[in-house]
Amino acid sequence: MKVQCNVCPHGCKLSEGQTGFCGGRACRGGKVICENYGKITSLAFDPIEKKPLYHYYPGSKILSVGSYGCNLRCPFCQNCEISMAKETDIDYINISCEELVEKANELKVRGNIGIAYTYNEPLIGYEFVKDCGLLAKKRGLKNVLVTNGYICEEPLRELLDIVDAFNIDLKGFTDKFYKKLQGDLDTVKNTIKIAAKACHVEVTTLIVPGENDSEEEIEALSKWLSKISPDIPLHITRFFPRWKMSDKEPTPVKTVYRLADVARRNLRFVHEGNC
């Protein structure tokens, strides 16, 4: 008997003991569970601007935490060591929600505002985000999600009262491009629309030469975002060679600035990144 995972549109149907496409969810005891729950590969105390969030408590810091696994397959992934890893491939430590929230609370004296769930794809482990997030809110801490936005609507809505800010990757603005990543554009657009009605949202687009770097695509992307709100900040970010695109040249700086100017035709806040 197979059990279907309903966290993201892949809808993996898993037999007992089988791990899903994302590498972070598995079938155990006849249920699909968050296999990477509390298994932390990365923990850092970062400026909020590094998420990147430029318009949410600027100048503050946030405790950033990540696990392993992802439900997209971006060949240009900047965190492939953990996002593409399986549990058996990587070192991690086990941290309970109580321990994580306590650590975040202790860092308040150093300017910490909360917890950012980031580095790998945090929404494949949305149960951990939810459980930690509820505890964090009780301690007056903020919850921030840095995500690819590839999640079904039902689990997303379970988090809306808990998450205070999102940075959502909008990888490109064509179905063809998202098909290469083994995702779909409409799901991510829906996530952005839903999240933007609930809390603070900023969007990041990594510009990969020859893939999503046309003026027409950025014009369409920024125009669509502006219909939700022209005040949504957009981060146009420079690509550096990574993973399956390690032989590709970095994005020319002039391309990032040119495309940022295109996006400014439609949006009030556009920021160049990695330049």
Side-chain angles (χ1 to χ4, degrees), residues 1 4 16 20 22 27 33 36 43 54 59-60 64 100-101 107 148 195 199 237 254:
M1 178 181 174
Q4 183 167 338
E16 183 65 26
C22 66
C27 182
I33 65 162
N36 66 358
L43 191 66
Y54 283 13
S60 64
S64 302
L100 182 62
V101 171
L107 287 169
N148 62 30
C199 63
T237 305
K254 64 181 181 181

Side-chain angles (χ1 to χ4, degrees), residues 168-207:
I168 301 172
D169 284 337
L170 185 52
K171 307 285 185 178
F173 210 64
T174 65
D175 294 323
K176 180 180 178 181
F177 187 62
Y178 262 95
K179 190 173 182 179
K180 290 183 182 180
L181 315 183
Q182 299 190 48
D184 71 84
L185 176 59
D186 284 344
T187 294
V188 180
K189 288 168 68 176
N190 191 51
T191 296
I192 293 171
K193 286 190 287 187
I194 290 171
K197 291 179 181 178
C199 63
H200 181 84
V201 169
E202 301 190 24
V203 172
T204 296
T205 299
L206 182 74
I207 302 299

